[in-house]
Amino acid sequence: MSVRNVSTWLFLLGMLYVTLAVNTAFGFLFSAKDLMMGIVILVNGSIYLFGLLERVEDVKKRTSHLLVGSFFSYILSIYQIVVVFSLWLEGFVGGLCLLSVDAINFPLLFSGLLVSFISDYLKKSFTTT
């Protein structure tokens, strides 16, 4: 990938995950209020944004920040799937429904699954160069 593409992806994903961190910490849109998860998502956003602080000439370091951030985003979305499954299973065993739209945290779930495609593309670019 070119420096411009990597920098654009770093900025966009960094801002996305900082916004998701604020959304999750305060429970604004489609998420329950969860301060600790918001802090974890903020760390993920900072991985992307710290990649912008690397030298422009060093594309591999910027790309590695993008790769690590996308792995971490994918892990966060898998964690969210496990949380949803555990809530469903707890409700199934208890005989009531514990799932709600806020408990699922759709923005985090979808963004992590979409970012997983970026990590696959980046892995291919690391092996070819």
Side-chain angles (χ1 to χ4, degrees):
M1 286 180 94
S2 69
V3 177
R4 186 175 180 186
N5 286 342
V6 171
S7 299
T8 303
W9 279 112
L10 283 171
F11 180 74
L12 289 176
L13 292 174
M15 287 295 112
L16 172 72
Y17 277 95
V18 167
T19 306
L20 284 174
V22 171
N23 184 32
T24 303
F26 296 112
F28 292 133
L29 182 66
F30 295 121
S31 66
K33 186 177 179 180
D34 188 3
L35 182 63
M36 288 306 293
M37 189 64 174
I39 292 171
V40 171
I41 297 169
L42 186 65
V43 168
N44 188 22
S46 66
I47 290 171
Y48 290 121
L49 293 176
F50 281 133
L52 290 172
L53 296 177
E54 296 289 341
R55 290 183 316 188
V56 177
E57 300 86 28
D58 202 359
V59 180
K60 290 241 183 211
K61 281 190 179 181
R62 284 182 172 231
T63 308
S64 66
H65 278 273
L66 191 56
L67 187 64
V68 169
S70 62
F71 281 148
F72 195 52
S73 301
Y74 186 61
I75 289 171
L76 284 175
S77 68
I78 288 177
Y79 171 75
Q80 194 62 36
I81 290 171
V82 169
V83 166
V84 168
F85 182 71
S86 67
L87 283 173
W88 172 78
L89 191 59
E90 183 180 355
F92 184 71
V93 170
L96 54 113
C97 182
L98 298 173
L99 282 178
S100 67
V101 174
D102 293 343
I104 295 173
N105 199 351
F106 281 118
L108 178 64
L109 184 68
F110 289 133
S111 64
L113 292 176
L114 291 175
V115 168
S116 69
F117 294 111
I118 294 172
S119 69
D120 289 338
Y121 179 72
L122 288 173
K123 283 190 289 187
K124 289 178 186 175
S125 70
F126 258 104
T127 58
T128 59
T129 53

